[in-house]
Protein backbone atom coordinates (compact mmCIF):
# COMPACT_ATOMS: atom_id res chain seq x y z
CA UNK A 1 0.00 0.00 0.00
CA UNK A 2 2.95 2.33 0.54
CA UNK A 3 3.63 2.29 -3.20
CA UNK A 4 0.15 3.64 -3.93
CA UNK A 5 0.66 6.45 -1.40
CA UNK A 6 3.94 7.39 -3.04
CA UNK A 7 2.21 7.73 -6.39
CA UNK A 8 -0.55 10.04 -5.20
CA UNK A 9 1.37 12.34 -2.87
CA UNK A 10 1.59 15.61 -4.78
CA UNK A 11 4.81 16.83 -3.16
CA UNK A 12 6.44 13.51 -3.96
CA UNK A 13 5.63 13.16 -7.62
CA UNK A 14 8.80 11.09 -7.72
CA UNK A 15 8.39 7.83 -9.50
CA UNK A 16 11.17 5.39 -8.80
CA UNK A 17 11.21 2.32 -10.97
CA UNK A 18 11.10 0.05 -7.90
CA UNK A 19 7.93 1.67 -6.58
CA UNK A 20 6.26 1.57 -9.98
CA UNK A 21 7.21 -2.04 -10.51
CA UNK A 22 5.76 -2.95 -7.12
CA UNK A 23 2.64 -0.92 -7.83
CA UNK A 24 2.15 -2.59 -11.20
CA UNK A 25 2.52 -6.06 -9.66
CA UNK A 26 0.15 -5.11 -6.84
CA UNK A 27 -2.48 -3.85 -9.27
CA UNK A 28 -2.07 -6.97 -11.42
CA UNK A 29 -2.66 -9.15 -8.37
CA UNK A 30 -6.10 -7.62 -7.77
CA UNK A 31 -8.78 -9.32 -9.78
CA UNK A 32 -11.69 -7.11 -10.82
CA UNK A 33 -14.06 -9.94 -10.03
CA UNK A 34 -12.96 -9.74 -6.39
CA UNK A 35 -14.40 -6.20 -6.22
CA UNK A 36 -18.01 -6.27 -5.19
CA UNK A 37 -20.06 -5.81 -8.36
CA UNK A 38 -22.59 -3.69 -6.47
CA UNK A 39 -19.83 -1.29 -5.45
CA UNK A 40 -18.54 -1.12 -9.00
CA UNK A 41 -22.06 -0.50 -10.33
CA UNK A 42 -22.71 2.17 -7.68
CA UNK A 43 -19.51 4.04 -8.55
CA UNK A 44 -20.13 3.85 -12.29
CA UNK A 45 -23.71 5.05 -11.86
CA UNK A 46 -22.92 7.83 -9.38
CA UNK A 47 -19.84 9.10 -11.20
CA UNK A 48 -21.38 8.61 -14.64
CA UNK A 49 -18.58 6.56 -16.11
CA UNK A 50 -18.22 3.15 -17.74
CA UNK A 51 -15.45 0.60 -17.69
CA UNK A 52 -14.15 1.31 -14.21
CA UNK A 53 -11.50 -1.30 -13.51
CA UNK A 54 -9.78 -1.77 -10.15
CA UNK A 55 -6.80 -3.11 -12.03
CA UNK A 56 -5.85 0.56 -12.47
CA UNK A 57 -5.11 3.10 -9.79
CA UNK A 58 -7.66 5.71 -10.87
CA UNK A 59 -10.46 3.39 -9.75
CA UNK A 60 -9.11 3.64 -6.22
CA UNK A 61 -8.83 7.42 -6.51
CA UNK A 62 -12.47 7.49 -7.63
CA UNK A 63 -13.52 5.28 -4.72
CA UNK A 64 -11.56 7.35 -2.18
CA UNK A 65 -12.89 10.63 -3.56
CA UNK A 66 -16.46 9.32 -3.62
CA UNK A 67 -16.22 8.25 0.03
CA UNK A 68 -14.56 11.52 1.05
CA UNK A 69 -17.34 13.52 -0.60
CA UNK A 70 -20.04 11.40 1.06
CA UNK A 71 -18.27 12.00 4.40
CA UNK A 72 -18.64 15.74 3.89
CA UNK A 73 -15.19 16.69 2.65
CA UNK A 74 -15.51 19.92 0.69
CA UNK A 75 -15.65 20.06 -3.09
CA UNK A 76 -12.50 22.16 -3.05
CA UNK A 77 -10.52 19.58 -1.08
CA UNK A 78 -11.77 16.74 -3.28
CA UNK A 79 -10.83 18.65 -6.43
CA UNK A 80 -7.39 19.41 -4.99
CA UNK A 81 -6.88 15.70 -4.35
CA UNK A 82 -7.94 14.82 -7.91
CA UNK A 83 -5.81 17.56 -9.43
CA UNK A 84 -2.77 16.50 -7.40
CA UNK A 85 -3.20 12.93 -8.58
CA UNK A 86 -3.64 14.09 -12.19
CA UNK A 87 -0.51 16.27 -11.94
CA UNK A 88 1.53 13.34 -10.68
CA UNK A 89 0.29 11.00 -13.38
CA UNK A 90 0.94 13.65 -16.04
CA UNK A 91 4.51 13.87 -14.79
CA UNK A 92 4.72 10.10 -14.94
CA UNK A 93 3.53 10.13 -18.56
CA UNK A 94 6.41 12.48 -19.42
CA UNK A 95 8.97 10.26 -17.70
CA UNK A 96 7.92 6.88 -19.08
CA UNK A 97 6.92 5.36 -22.38
CA UNK A 98 3.22 5.40 -23.26
CA UNK A 99 3.10 1.59 -23.23
CA UNK A 100 4.38 1.36 -19.65
CA UNK A 101 2.12 4.20 -18.51
CA UNK A 102 -0.92 2.55 -20.05
CA UNK A 103 -0.12 -0.67 -18.21
CA UNK A 104 -0.02 1.22 -14.92
CA UNK A 105 -2.64 3.90 -15.46
CA UNK A 106 -4.88 2.42 -18.13
CA UNK A 107 -6.14 4.25 -21.18
CA UNK A 108 -9.31 5.75 -19.68
CA UNK A 109 -7.76 7.54 -16.72
CA UNK A 110 -8.24 11.07 -18.05
CA UNK A 111 -11.85 10.41 -19.08
CA UNK A 112 -12.63 8.88 -15.68
CA UNK A 113 -11.05 11.80 -13.83
CA UNK A 114 -13.07 14.28 -15.91
CA UNK A 115 -16.25 12.45 -14.95
CA UNK A 116 -15.14 12.46 -11.33
CA UNK A 117 -14.58 16.23 -11.50
CA UNK A 118 -18.11 16.65 -12.92
CA UNK A 119 -19.51 14.49 -10.13
CA UNK A 120 -17.77 16.61 -7.50
CA UNK A 121 -19.00 19.84 -9.10
CA UNK A 122 -22.58 18.58 -9.14
CA UNK A 123 -22.62 17.02 -5.66
Amino acid sequence: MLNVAILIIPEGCAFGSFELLNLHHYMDSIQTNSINRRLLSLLETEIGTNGLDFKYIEAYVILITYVLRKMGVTKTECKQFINSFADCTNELRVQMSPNVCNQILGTQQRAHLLKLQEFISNS
Side-chain angles (χ1 to χ4, degrees):
M1 197 56 142
L2 176 61
N3 295 327
V4 174
I6 288 170
L7 185 61
I8 62 176
I9 294 173
E11 296 84 26
C13 284
F15 304 104
S17 58
F18 180 73
E19 288 87 1
L20 287 174
L21 182 61
N22 284 341
L23 174 64
H24 182 62
H25 288 300
Y26 172 75
M27 298 308 237
D28 274 350
S29 70
I30 298 173
Q31 298 296 317
T32 302
N33 62 5
S34 69
I35 302 298
N36 186 302
R37 293 287 177 200
R38 288 180 20 207
L39 173 62
L40 189 60
S41 178
L42 171 75
L43 289 174
E44 288 183 339
T45 301
E46 290 280 318
I47 304 301
T49 189
N50 292 322
L52 196 57
D53 190 344
F54 280 87
K55 176 174 140 180
Y56 302 110
I57 193 168
E58 95 270 351
Y60 294 93
V61 171
I62 290 170
L63 174 60
I64 291 166
T65 306
Y66 177 80
V67 171
L68 288 173
R69 189 67 188 123
K70 292 299 181 180
M71 290 174 32
V73 173
T74 67
K75 291 180 185 183
T76 301
E77 290 173 308
C78 289
K79 286 183 179 184
Q80 288 172 342
F81 173 66
I82 298 164
N83 290 335
S84 294
F85 173 75
D87 289 346
C88 287
T89 57
N90 288 338
E91 186 176 322
L92 177 66
R93 288 184 188 281
V94 170
Q95 294 176 9
M96 302 186 85
S97 72
N99 186 38
V100 172
C101 283
N102 288 341
Q103 289 177 12
I104 297 168
L105 302 174
T107 57
Q108 295 185 340
Q109 181 212 349
R110 290 180 179 138
H112 286 164
L113 292 182
L114 284 173
K115 287 292 191 180
L116 182 58
Q117 288 279 15
E118 289 175 21
F119 166 78
I120 297 300
S121 294
N122 296 328
S123 65

